[in-house]
């Protein structure tokens, strides 16, 4: 049976975050005038993270944190091949850990970016509110540690997609494009109506307004 797993807002979040991440990596390597875009991509990631936090509480069934976040016992059961049937619908326990890690380290990367200073021409808007030691540590983490951790997580994510495609003959990308997944058992479908999408749009605009207003207030 065909089940709506990923609602449209979750799918748009996923691909927008991927685009921003690529933009951040590219602009960080270019430097110079590209750093203006680097900051913009960073603000975009912050907006998306805020949206995902809210949508993880109000979104479609399989996008909610309460649906896919499990304890160590469930993770261990899954690793032993004794996972529950619904683990094959949305994020499985390992996928859930990957999602949490990605969100946490992206938040750390954005936060340290706001406090970083390249001592040339670019400084985060929070640098003037923290000590020089904080700025130094944040800059080091942002440039040397956080970027490598995120690249590692992305590599792991892509490797898992490739493994599922060739090893288990399961396409994980298609459901994130169409939203639907074919299952051989009954499972609840995620709500993805026009009203849900309008709610998501309002939430996103509020998050964007909060980030833009805060940044303008700090920079201006």
């Amino acid at each position: 049976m065909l089940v709506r797993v990923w609602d449209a807002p979750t799918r748009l979040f996923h691909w927008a975050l991927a685009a921003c991440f690529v933009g951040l990596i590219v602009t960080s390597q270019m430097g110079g005038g590209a750093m203006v875009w680097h900051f913009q991509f960073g603000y975009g990631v912050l907006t998306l993270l805020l949206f995902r936090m809210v949508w993880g509480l109000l979104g479609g069934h399989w996008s909610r944190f309460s649906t896919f976040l499990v304890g160590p016992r469930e993770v261990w059961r899954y690793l032993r091949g004794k996972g529950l049937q619904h683990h094959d619908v949305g994020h499985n326990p390992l996928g859930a850990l990957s999602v949490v890690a990605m969100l946490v380290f992206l938040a750390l990367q954005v936060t340290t970016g706001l406090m970083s200073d390249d001592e040339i021409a670019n400084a985060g808007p929070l640098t003037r509110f923290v000590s020089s030691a904080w700025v130094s540590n944040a800059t080091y983490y942002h440039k040397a540690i956080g970027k490598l951790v995120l690249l590692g997580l992305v590599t792991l994510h892509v490797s898992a997609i490739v493994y599922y495609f060739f090893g288990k003959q399961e396409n994980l990308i298609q459901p994130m494009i169409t939203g639907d997944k074919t299952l051989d058992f009954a499972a609840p479908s995620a709500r993805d109506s026009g009203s849900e999408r309008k709610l998501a749009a309002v939430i996103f605009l509020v998050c964007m307004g909060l980030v833009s207003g805060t940044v303008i207030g700090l920079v201006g």
Side-chain angles (χ1 to χ4, degrees):
M1 62 182 298
L2 199 63
V3 174
R4 175 55 52 96
V5 177
W6 305 122
D7 52 60
T10 299
R11 284 177 276 146
L12 287 173
F13 160 82
H14 180 275
W15 296 115
L17 186 63
C20 284
F21 183 80
V22 172
L24 284 168
I25 294 298
V26 171
T27 52
S28 69
Q29 296 302 114
M30 294 174 63
M35 291 306 295
V36 174
W37 282 101
H38 188 76
F39 276 90
Q40 296 303 317
F41 282 124
Y43 299 142
V45 169
L46 179 56
T47 300
L48 289 168
L49 290 177
L50 289 176
F51 168 79
R52 189 62 181 93
M53 292 300 103
V54 178
W55 201 242
L57 302 174
L58 304 177
H61 179 77
W62 301 105
S63 299
R64 296 194 178 197
F65 298 132
S66 59
T67 301
F68 63 83
L69 292 183
V70 297
R73 182 177 298 179
E74 284 297 314
V75 175
W76 178 239
R77 280 171 56 99
Y78 181 79
L79 289 173
R80 292 166 58 200
K82 298 181 178 180
L84 301 176
Q85 195 175 45
H86 72 264
H87 288 160
D88 294 323
V89 183
H91 294 303
N92 62 49
L94 288 182
L97 290 178
S98 175
V99 169
V100 172
M102 188 72 73
L103 294 177
V104 168
F105 281 102
L106 278 171
L108 278 173
Q109 192 71 357
V110 170
T111 302
T112 53
L114 293 172
M115 295 186 289
S116 293
D117 188 346
D118 63 6
E119 298 183 346
I120 300 176
N122 302 287
L126 295 183
T127 52
R128 55 179 170 157
F129 299 105
V130 296
S131 67
S132 58
W134 270 95
V135 172
S136 178
N137 290 331
T139 303
Y140 176 75
Y141 176 88
H142 190 78
K143 289 185 175 182
I145 300 176
K147 182 167 69 174
L148 292 179
V149 170
L150 286 171
L151 286 173
L153 288 173
V154 170
T155 300
L156 186 64
H157 181 67
V158 173
S159 298
I161 292 173
V162 173
Y163 167 73
Y164 269 80
F165 186 80
F166 291 104
K168 294 191 173 184
Q169 285 73 54
E170 182 178 351
N171 190 336
L172 298 180
I173 297 179
Q174 185 174 350
M176 194 55 74
I177 296 175
T178 65
D180 299 324
K181 193 171 185 179
T182 301
L183 304 173
D184 56 7
F185 56 89
S189 290
R191 297 194 313 270
D192 196 18
S193 63
S195 60
E196 296 294 323
R197 296 179 182 187
K198 289 178 183 177
L199 173 62
V202 170
I203 294 173
F204 179 78
L205 289 174
V206 170
C207 293
M208 185 170 64
L210 287 173
V211 172
S212 300
T214 301
V215 169
I216 291 173
L218 291 174
V219 175

